[in-house]
């Protein structure tokens, strides 16, 4: 693995195991950030594209349905998955191009996202700092077009490689083919809607870090930090430190309290619908979108319905941020789903808005 980033050469990822690493009746409790109990009948660790092809040729796994698992930070196991679970552990990181307009970095899908953000900064290739501390793997980052503090993955995306889980063929997709949207991409959409959900396994992601670097500071929390510190022109390292500090203060650390981050997407409504809601609830937190529609803060809607701190069994709404559901210790996926449905019903009852879960419910 080229962790120095000093050259443009190929990354020396560990040699693929000659046989598949298959585990039977594997516990998934430690492989999901919510710490929900679940067991995989078969769990296969995928360290290379060759592993995927071996898997497809395997009589037991080849034809079975498949569930791709990264860091498990955006998945809710409401039951044991019936599919063969493919844990993505493809490693490697390297600089593939140094152009006048950008550095292009390629990372293995199994690399930890936050480590990649920190590594690029250490190498002197800024641009990912606003996305610091998002849990999970680099391979999952395009799946829901991760975003935070005014930046989305699509703003730093060059292309990715993915293996088709039926044919075993590798394809390279650019941003257009990935069809990125708000917490959405072709990888989240079902085949019936022209999507690739469950159909392919991303093995490598290439990130484009624009030169010259421009800070992204138009987000309220970052503006507050600028005002507090008097730092009018923060560098990338400072923004990275600010984002880490803000996130640590706001969000529960999955290492201590099981959770999957924001449980619902912020709903987008028409300007007319928003005006209507403001008429009844003038305090509602809303942001204008470039297309004239309005994004509403889902956490505000949930809080307004009185859910903060409430629980179903051992699943609860986090006291400090109503958008986050947490595992108080020993929660089951069924409890999380029951709590989520109850929240959806009460938000719909009061505001006429259907909240859509952000994590994938298995
Ligand atoms: C505390 C906390 C804070 C968070 N904050 C944010 C945030 O600010 N912004 C944000 O956008 N998200 C956030 N998230 C959600 C989550 O971290 C991201 O969605 C992350 O990208 C998920 O990565 P993962 O490897 O854990 O994916 P997983 O949970 O393992 O998988 C998520 C989905 O992606 C698919 N998938 C995973 N890897 C691959 C692959 N290699 N190829 C194909 N499909 C794949 C899975 O099948 C599944 O459908 C947060 C989560 C937590 C727990």
């Amino acid at each position: 693995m080229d962790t120095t980033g000093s050259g443009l050469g190929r990354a020396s990822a560990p040699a693929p195991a000659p046989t598949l690493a298959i585990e039977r009746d594997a516990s998934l409790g430690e492989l999901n950030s919510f710490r929900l109990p679940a067991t995989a009948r078969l769990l296969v660790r995928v360290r290379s594209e060759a592993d995927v092809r071996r898997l497809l040729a395997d009589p037991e796994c080849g034809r079975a349905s498949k569930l791709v698992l990264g860091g498990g930070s955006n998945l809710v196991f409401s039951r044991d998955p019936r599919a063969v679970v493919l844990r993505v552990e493809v490693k490697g990181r390297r600089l593939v191009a140094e152009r006048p307009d950008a550095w292009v970095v390629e990372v293995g899908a199994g690399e930890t996202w936050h480590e990649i953000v920190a590594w690029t900064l250490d190498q002197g290739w800024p641009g990912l700092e606003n996305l610091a501390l998002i849990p999970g793997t680099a391979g999952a980052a395009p799946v829901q077009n991760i975003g935070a503090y005014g930046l989305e993955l699509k703003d730093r995306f060059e292309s990715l490689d993915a293996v088709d889980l039926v044919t075993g063929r590798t394809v390279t997709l650019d941003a257009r083919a990935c069809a990125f949207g708000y917490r959405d991409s072709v990888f989240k959409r079902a085949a019936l809607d022209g999507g690739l959900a469950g159909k392919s396994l991303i093995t490598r992601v290439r990130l484009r870090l624009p030169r010259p670097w421009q800070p992204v500071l138009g987000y309220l929390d970052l503006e507050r930090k600028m005002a507090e510190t008097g730092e009018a022109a923060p560098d990338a390292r400072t923004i990275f430190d600010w984002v880490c500090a803000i996130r640590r203060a706001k969000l529960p650390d999955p290492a201590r309290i099981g959770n999957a981050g924001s449980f619902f997407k912020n709903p987008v409504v028409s300007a007319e619908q928003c005006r209507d809601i403001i008429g009844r609830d003038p305090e509602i937190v809303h942001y204008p979108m470039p297309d004239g529609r309005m994004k509403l803060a889902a956490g505000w809607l949930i809080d307004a319905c009185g859910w903060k701190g409430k629980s179903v069994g051992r699943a609860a709404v986090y006291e400090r941020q109503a958008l986050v559901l947490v595992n108080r210790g020993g929660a089951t996926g069924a409890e999380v789903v029951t709590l989520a449905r109850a929240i959806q019903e009460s938000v719909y009852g009061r505001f006429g808005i259907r909240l859509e879960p952000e994590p994938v419910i298995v």
Side-chain angles (χ1 to χ4, degrees):
M1 180 163 53
D2 177 14
T3 49
T4 66
S6 51
L8 301 179
R10 272 220 73 83
S12 52
T19 51
L20 276 180
I22 302 183
E23 291 165 39
R24 287 169 200 282
D25 298 323
S27 167
L28 301 173
E30 291 299 315
L31 300 183
N32 74 94
S33 64
F34 231 125
R35 304 265 184 279
L36 297 172
T39 303
R41 191 174 56 83
L42 294 172
L43 180 123
V44 182
R45 293 181 190 271
V46 172
R47 295 179 178 127
S48 66
E49 287 164 5
D51 275 352
V52 183
R53 288 190 261 279
R54 270 185 210 110
L55 172 99
L56 296 179
D58 184 85
E60 198 175 7
C61 303
R63 291 187 164 210
S65 60
K66 298 167 187 74
L67 171 70
V68 181
L69 176 67
S73 65
N74 212 27
L75 277 174
V76 174
F77 287 113
S78 65
R79 54 172 168 76
D80 291 338
R82 292 189 195 102
V84 176
V85 175
L86 311 184
R87 178 100 202 290
V88 182
E89 297 182 355
V90 180
K91 299 288 185 188
R93 46 178 91 165
R94 64 184 181 130
L95 183 69
V96 284
E98 191 166 1
R99 304 191 307 236
D101 66 325
W103 296 279
V104 181
V105 170
E106 182 183 86
V107 297
E111 293 282 347
T112 300
W113 173 259
H114 177 71
E115 285 176 12
I116 293 300
V117 176
W119 171 72
T120 48
L121 264 186
D122 288 346
Q123 302 305 314
W125 311 321
L128 298 176
E129 53 283 347
N130 295 52
L131 301 178
L133 226 54
I134 298 181
T137 55
V143 173
Q144 78 149 356
N145 180 27
I146 56 168
Y149 300 95
L151 194 72
E152 290 185 330
L153 180 90
K154 71 169 172 49
D155 305 322
R156 299 288 181 262
F157 181 82
E158 175 87 359
S159 63
L160 60 76
D161 296 339
V163 187
D164 184 304
L165 287 174
V166 176
T167 64
R169 271 204 302 266
T170 298
V171 288
T172 297
L173 303 185
D174 62 11
R176 199 154 158 247
C178 291
F180 293 122
Y182 165 58
R183 300 296 179 272
D184 197 27
S185 76
V186 71
F187 299 100
K188 265 197 137 177
R189 277 169 238 149
L192 276 176
D193 300 324
L196 290 174
K199 296 243 162 271
S200 52
L201 185 148
I202 298 165
T203 50
R204 279 171 218 290
V205 179
R206 281 169 290 277
L207 303 161
R208 182 176 34 76
L209 309 173
R211 301 170 77 180
W213 172 78
Q214 299 275 0
V216 177
L217 293 165
Y219 199 89
L220 190 62
D221 285 336
L222 294 176
E223 284 169 2
R224 277 200 196 117
K225 280 278 182 200
M226 287 164 73
E228 266 167 43
T229 58
E231 182 81 72
D235 60 11
R237 173 68 59 183
T238 304
I239 297 172
F240 173 89
D241 290 341
W242 285 351
V243 169
C244 291
I246 297 165
R247 293 184 68 99
R248 287 196 174 107
K250 264 192 177 177
L251 291 167
D253 176 0
R256 292 190 311 108
I257 305 175
N259 76 92
S262 304
F263 200 90
F264 297 101
K265 293 184 187 182
N266 289 321
V268 176
V269 299
S270 67
E272 192 190 353
Q273 197 179 356
C274 187
R275 268 196 302 278
D276 197 44
I277 299 173
I278 292 171
R280 285 176 280 130
D281 287 279
E283 319 254 277
I284 192 163
V285 178
H286 58 287
Y287 314 92
M289 307 264 295
D291 62 5
R293 293 183 302 161
M294 291 286 179
K295 193 185 270 183
L296 307 180
W300 188 93
L301 300 171
I302 299 166
D303 199 9
C305 292
W307 279 100
K308 218 182 239 179
K310 296 268 168 63
S311 50
V312 167
R314 305 296 296 159
V317 180
Y318 190 47
E319 312 66 26
R320 278 149 68 183
Q321 167 55 275
L323 193 50
V324 178
L325 304 191
V326 295
N327 182 348
R328 287 266 162 255
T332 63
E335 286 171 341
V336 174
V337 171
T338 305
L339 175 61
R341 288 211 180 112
I343 292 170
Q344 283 171 310
E345 276 168 30
S346 75
V347 168
Y348 185 71
R350 172 153 172 201
F351 297 102
I353 290 169
R354 287 190 197 284
L355 289 183
E356 202 186 314
E358 188 182 296
V360 175
I361 316 270
V362 176

